[in-house]
Amino acid sequence: MAVLPIYEFPHEVLRKKARKVKKLDKSIHRIAEDLVDTMQNAQGVGLAANQIGILKRIIAIQLPEEDPRVYINPEIVDKEGEREVTEACLSVPGYRGIITRSIWVKAKAWDREWKDVRIKAEGLLAQALEHEIDHLNGILYMDHLEQHQKLEKIETEFNSEEVEVEN
Ligand code: NI
Protein backbone atom coordinates (compact mmCIF):
# COMPACT_ATOMS: atom_id res chain seq x y z
CA MET A 1 0.00 0.00 0.00
CA ALA A 2 1.30 3.40 -0.89
CA VAL A 3 0.38 7.02 -1.23
CA LEU A 4 1.51 8.05 -4.70
CA PRO A 5 2.03 11.50 -6.22
CA ILE A 6 -1.02 12.84 -8.07
CA TYR A 7 -0.25 14.05 -11.58
CA GLU A 8 -1.43 17.58 -12.20
CA PHE A 9 -2.75 19.47 -15.21
CA PRO A 10 -1.33 19.89 -17.85
CA HIS A 11 0.51 16.52 -17.55
CA GLU A 12 -0.17 14.50 -20.70
CA VAL A 13 -1.13 11.31 -18.82
CA LEU A 14 -4.37 13.11 -17.88
CA ARG A 15 -5.23 13.37 -21.58
CA LYS A 16 -4.66 9.71 -22.45
CA LYS A 17 -7.35 7.08 -22.71
CA ALA A 18 -6.92 4.30 -20.15
CA ARG A 19 -7.06 0.67 -21.30
CA LYS A 20 -9.51 -1.97 -20.14
CA VAL A 21 -8.40 -4.37 -17.45
CA LYS A 22 -8.48 -7.87 -18.96
CA LYS A 23 -7.81 -9.95 -15.89
CA LEU A 24 -7.74 -9.43 -12.19
CA ASP A 25 -4.31 -10.20 -10.82
CA LYS A 26 -2.07 -9.02 -8.01
CA SER A 27 -0.97 -5.93 -9.89
CA ILE A 28 -4.58 -4.77 -10.25
CA HIS A 29 -5.22 -5.29 -6.53
CA ARG A 30 -2.09 -3.27 -5.83
CA ILE A 31 -3.23 -0.40 -8.07
CA ALA A 32 -6.65 -0.46 -6.39
CA GLU A 33 -5.06 -0.21 -2.95
CA ASP A 34 -2.72 2.59 -4.03
CA LEU A 35 -5.64 4.49 -5.56
CA VAL A 36 -7.63 4.27 -2.33
CA ASP A 37 -4.63 5.24 -0.18
CA THR A 38 -3.77 8.20 -2.41
CA MET A 39 -7.39 9.37 -2.58
CA GLN A 40 -7.81 9.18 1.19
CA ASN A 41 -4.49 10.94 1.83
CA ALA A 42 -5.61 13.80 -0.44
CA GLN A 43 -9.07 13.80 1.17
CA GLY A 44 -10.68 13.46 -2.24
CA VAL A 45 -14.04 12.00 -3.14
CA GLY A 46 -12.58 10.08 -6.06
CA LEU A 47 -9.46 9.27 -8.01
CA ALA A 48 -8.83 7.65 -11.38
CA ALA A 49 -5.77 5.56 -12.24
CA ASN A 50 -4.61 8.13 -14.84
CA GLN A 51 -4.08 10.55 -11.97
CA ILE A 52 -1.40 8.30 -10.46
CA GLY A 53 0.12 7.72 -13.88
CA ILE A 54 -1.46 4.33 -14.65
CA LEU A 55 -3.42 3.96 -17.87
CA LYS A 56 -5.81 1.24 -16.73
CA ARG A 57 -9.55 1.64 -16.29
CA ILE A 58 -9.74 1.64 -12.49
CA ILE A 59 -11.33 4.27 -10.27
CA ALA A 60 -11.82 4.77 -6.54
CA ILE A 61 -14.68 6.72 -4.98
CA GLN A 62 -15.36 7.44 -1.34
CA LEU A 63 -18.42 9.37 -0.27
CA PRO A 64 -18.43 11.10 3.12
CA GLU A 65 -19.13 8.60 5.95
CA GLU A 66 -18.87 5.64 3.57
CA ASP A 67 -16.29 2.97 2.81
CA PRO A 68 -14.15 3.38 -0.29
CA ARG A 69 -15.40 1.75 -3.48
CA VAL A 70 -13.22 0.52 -6.33
CA TYR A 71 -14.67 0.06 -9.80
CA ILE A 72 -12.82 -1.71 -12.59
CA ASN A 73 -13.75 -1.04 -16.23
CA PRO A 74 -16.61 1.25 -15.19
CA GLU A 75 -19.00 2.42 -17.89
CA ILE A 76 -22.00 4.74 -17.87
CA VAL A 77 -24.82 2.79 -19.51
CA ASP A 78 -27.65 5.28 -19.04
CA LYS A 79 -28.15 8.78 -17.66
CA GLU A 80 -30.83 11.39 -17.46
CA GLY A 81 -31.33 15.08 -16.79
CA GLU A 82 -29.04 17.99 -16.20
CA ARG A 83 -28.04 19.88 -13.09
CA GLU A 84 -25.39 22.42 -12.28
CA VAL A 85 -22.73 21.37 -9.81
CA THR A 86 -19.61 22.92 -8.39
CA GLU A 87 -16.68 20.72 -9.21
CA ALA A 88 -12.97 20.52 -8.50
CA CYS A 89 -10.23 18.01 -9.21
CA LEU A 90 -7.16 16.86 -7.30
CA SER A 91 -5.22 17.20 -10.58
CA VAL A 92 -6.22 20.87 -10.88
CA PRO A 93 -5.51 22.14 -7.36
CA GLY A 94 -6.74 25.54 -6.29
CA TYR A 95 -9.59 25.86 -8.78
CA ARG A 96 -13.24 24.98 -9.08
CA GLY A 97 -15.95 25.54 -11.63
CA ILE A 98 -19.67 25.16 -12.20
CA ILE A 99 -20.50 22.56 -14.82
CA THR A 100 -23.47 20.48 -15.94
CA ARG A 101 -23.77 16.88 -14.81
CA SER A 102 -26.56 14.31 -15.05
CA ILE A 103 -29.38 14.01 -12.49
CA TRP A 104 -28.80 10.27 -12.30
CA VAL A 105 -26.61 7.71 -14.00
CA LYS A 106 -26.61 3.95 -14.32
CA ALA A 107 -23.20 2.38 -14.52
CA LYS A 108 -21.72 -1.07 -14.72
CA ALA A 109 -18.31 -2.23 -13.59
CA TRP A 110 -16.43 -5.00 -11.84
CA ASP A 111 -15.56 -4.75 -8.20
CA ARG A 112 -12.33 -5.91 -6.57
CA GLU A 113 -13.64 -9.48 -6.37
CA TRP A 114 -14.30 -9.36 -10.12
CA LYS A 115 -18.02 -9.39 -9.49
CA ASP A 116 -20.28 -7.66 -11.96
CA VAL A 117 -21.81 -4.62 -10.26
CA ARG A 118 -24.61 -2.36 -11.48
CA ILE A 119 -24.92 1.05 -9.91
CA LYS A 120 -27.87 3.44 -10.05
CA ALA A 121 -26.60 6.69 -8.66
CA GLU A 122 -27.71 10.24 -8.10
CA GLY A 123 -26.23 13.21 -6.27
CA LEU A 124 -22.56 13.13 -5.38
CA LEU A 125 -22.07 9.49 -6.41
CA ALA A 126 -23.44 10.18 -9.90
CA GLN A 127 -21.20 13.23 -10.19
CA ALA A 128 -18.15 11.29 -9.00
CA LEU A 129 -18.82 8.44 -11.44
CA GLU A 130 -19.09 10.86 -14.36
CA HIS A 131 -15.98 12.77 -13.25
CA GLU A 132 -13.82 9.66 -12.73
CA ILE A 133 -14.96 7.86 -15.88
CA ASP A 134 -14.19 11.08 -17.78
CA HIS A 135 -10.63 10.85 -16.42
CA LEU A 136 -10.30 7.35 -17.90
CA ASN A 137 -11.17 8.89 -21.28
CA GLY A 138 -8.69 11.74 -20.93
CA ILE A 139 -11.39 14.28 -20.14
CA LEU A 140 -11.09 16.89 -17.38
CA TYR A 141 -14.04 18.68 -15.79
CA MET A 142 -12.94 22.02 -17.28
CA ASP A 143 -13.69 20.55 -20.70
CA HIS A 144 -17.38 20.79 -19.75
CA LEU A 145 -17.26 24.53 -19.04
CA GLU A 146 -19.34 26.66 -21.37
CA GLN A 147 -17.47 29.33 -23.27
CA HIS A 148 -18.86 32.13 -21.12
CA GLN A 149 -17.92 30.37 -17.92
CA LYS A 150 -14.52 30.26 -16.43
CA LEU A 151 -12.65 28.58 -13.67
CA GLU A 152 -12.67 30.34 -10.37
CA LYS A 153 -9.51 30.50 -8.34
CA ILE A 154 -10.25 29.40 -4.81
CA GLU A 155 -9.55 32.17 -2.28
CA THR A 156 -6.56 31.55 -0.05
CA GLU A 157 -8.62 31.35 3.15
CA PHE A 158 -10.65 28.66 1.45
CA ASN A 159 -8.48 25.61 1.90
CA SER A 160 -8.87 22.53 -0.23
CA GLU A 161 -10.47 20.51 2.55
CA GLU A 162 -13.46 22.79 2.41
CA VAL A 163 -14.06 22.25 -1.27
CA GLU A 164 -17.25 20.27 -1.47
CA VAL A 165 -16.13 17.91 -4.17
CA GLU A 166 -12.59 17.12 -5.16
CA ASN A 167 -12.28 14.17 -7.41
NI1 NI B 1 -10.47 14.66 -11.01
Side-chain angles (χ1 to χ4, degrees):
M1 298 207 294
V3 171
L4 300 177
I6 296 174
Y7 286 83
E8 292 181 0
F9 177 81
H11 196 288
E12 62 172 16
V13 77
L14 299 171
R15 290 307 191 181
K16 297 251 164 79
K17 206 171 155 152
R19 288 178 296 273
K20 271 199 167 178
V21 175
K22 299 245 169 64
K23 67 175 169 81
L24 191 62
D25 57 21
K26 254 191 178 164
S27 73
I28 300 300
H29 282 295
R30 172 71 194 257
I31 293 166
E33 283 182 6
D34 289 348
L35 259 185
V36 170
D37 290 347
T38 306
M39 170 184 69
Q40 290 178 333
N41 181 64
Q43 296 178 305
V45 169
L47 197 66
N50 307 46
Q51 293 177 277
I52 54 170
I54 295 165
L55 288 171
K56 291 187 189 298
R57 302 186 81 81
I58 309 170
I59 62 172
I61 292 175
Q62 186 164 22
L63 303 182
E65 318 295 326
E66 289 192 15
D67 290 331
R69 307 151 180 256
V70 170
Y71 295 126
I72 298 165
N73 297 336
E75 267 179 68
I76 305 280
V77 292
D78 199 6
K79 59 182 181 177
E80 195 173 278
E82 286 188 348
R83 64 193 177 110
E84 287 202 332
V85 293
T86 300
E87 202 153 303
C89 179
L90 293 170
S91 292
V92 192
Y95 290 87
R96 61 183 167 180
I98 296 170
I99 62 164
T100 302
R101 291 287 189 197
S102 304
I103 304 277
W104 59 256
V105 302
K106 284 182 187 169
K108 63 175 187 175
W110 282 288
D111 68 10
R112 275 188 274 190
E113 278 74 53
W114 210 239
K115 274 198 232 120
D116 200 7
V117 287
R118 304 267 159 167
I119 312 125
K120 168 104 195 266
E122 49 186 28
L124 183 54
L125 180 57
Q127 183 182 358
L129 281 164
E130 288 191 309
H131 181 112
E132 302 312 333
I133 293 171
D134 270 354
H135 271 301
L136 300 179
N137 293 320
I139 296 166
L140 298 172
Y141 79 93
M142 307 89 84
D143 302 345
H144 297 294
L145 290 169
E146 303 288 341
Q147 256 180 358
H148 64 274
Q149 298 169 324
K150 62 179 195 320
L151 278 187
E152 176 194 0
K153 199 161 175 39
I154 298 169
E155 298 300 330
T156 44
E157 75 267 20
F158 194 94
N159 79 46
S160 62
E161 287 166 41
E162 294 170 285
V163 175
E164 276 175 42
V165 184
E166 276 210 82
N167 293 297

Coordinates of all heavy atoms in Angstrom, one line a residue, residues 38 62 127 149:
T38 N -4.1 6.9 -1.9 CA -3.8 8.2 -2.4 C -5.0 9.1 -2.3 O -4.9 10.3 -2.0 CB -3.2 8.1 -3.9 OG1 -2.2 7.1 -3.9 CG2 -2.8 9.4 -4.4
Q62 N -15.0 7.6 -2.7 CA -15.4 7.4 -1.3 C -16.2 8.6 -1.0 O -15.8 9.8 -0.9 CB -14.1 7.4 -0.4 CG -14.5 7.1 1.0 CD -13.3 6.7 1.9 OE1 -12.2 6.9 1.5 NE2 -13.6 6.0 3.0
Q127 N -22.2 12.2 -9.8 CA -21.2 13.2 -10.2 C -19.8 12.6 -10.2 O -19.0 12.8 -11.1 CB -21.3 14.4 -9.2 CG -20.3 15.6 -9.6 CD -20.4 16.7 -8.6 OE1 -21.2 16.7 -7.6 NE2 -19.6 17.7 -8.8
Q149 N -18.3 30.6 -19.3 CA -17.9 30.4 -17.9 C -16.4 30.3 -17.8 O -15.7 30.2 -18.8 CB -18.5 29.0 -17.5 CG -20.0 29.0 -17.5 CD -20.5 27.5 -17.3 OE1 -19.9 26.6 -17.8 NE2 -21.6 27.4 -16.6

